[in-house]
Amino acid sequence: RHRATVSVAIKKEFWGMGLGTALMQGMTAFSEKNGAKQLELTVMSENKRAISLYERQGFIAVGRMPNAYLMKDGSFCDEISMVKIL
Ligand SMILES: CC(C)(COP(=O)(O)OP(=O)(O)OC[C@H]1O[C@@H](n2cnc3c(N)ncnc32)[C@H](O)[C@@H]1OP(=O)(O)O)[C@@H](O)C(=O)NCCC(=O)NCCS
């Protein structure tokens, strides 16, 4: 019960307007209020935009699963595990 998993996705036409940041702040406040002690997520290693957002919100990378995703073009992508201690 002390762990919460979070994810966020915004329609592309609304990227870069601060909505991802606002949603993450809202989820953090909601989680704290409901007793969570840490937030956890995973993200594709090539998703620099999302990783940048998560780092600015206080998440740190704690693990990396190689070749977690097999892409349509046959290439692989790693998965990064991140955590934010509340
Ligand atoms: C990742 C995502 C949630 C970000 O949402 P958003 O509303 O665009 O985020 P914000 O506008 O709050 O912040 C975007 C930040 O990304 C940064 N950024 C923009 N382009 C970037 C790039 N190419 N590389 C790294 N960082 C970038 C900017 O610094 C911006 O911060 P700023 O507003 O302080 O300048 C959104 O792009 C999305 O829904 N993507 C598709 C789904 C997804 O990937 N979800 C995460 C899966 S784990």
Side-chain angles (χ1 to χ4, degrees):
R1 285 192 185 169
H2 72 290
R3 301 169 64 188
T5 303
V6 296
S7 65
V8 57
I10 309 287
K11 270 189 148 182
K12 197 164 190 175
E13 61 203 277
F14 299 110
W15 284 8
M17 300 169 62
L19 293 174
T21 302
L23 279 173
M24 191 55 77
Q25 289 170 344
M27 286 190 285
T28 300
F30 177 88
S31 301
E32 280 179 325
K33 198 174 154 191
N34 287 279
K37 302 299 180 198
Q38 62 188 56
L39 301 184
E40 304 171 22
L41 60 82
T42 58
V43 58
M44 295 170 81
S45 59
E46 66 182 26
N47 195 345
K48 306 299 180 203
R49 187 183 187 89
I51 292 171
S52 159
L53 167 62
Y54 299 146
E55 287 177 340
R56 277 187 289 110
Q57 291 299 311
F59 282 81
I60 55 167
V62 291
R64 185 180 190 107
M65 180 62 72
N67 298 344
Y69 300 93
L70 175 56
M71 313 305 283
K72 282 182 182 165
D73 67 2
S75 65
F76 290 98
C77 181
D78 296 352
E79 181 179 75
I80 311 289
S81 297
M82 304 185 81
V83 66
K84 174 177 177 169
I85 306 296
L86 299 175

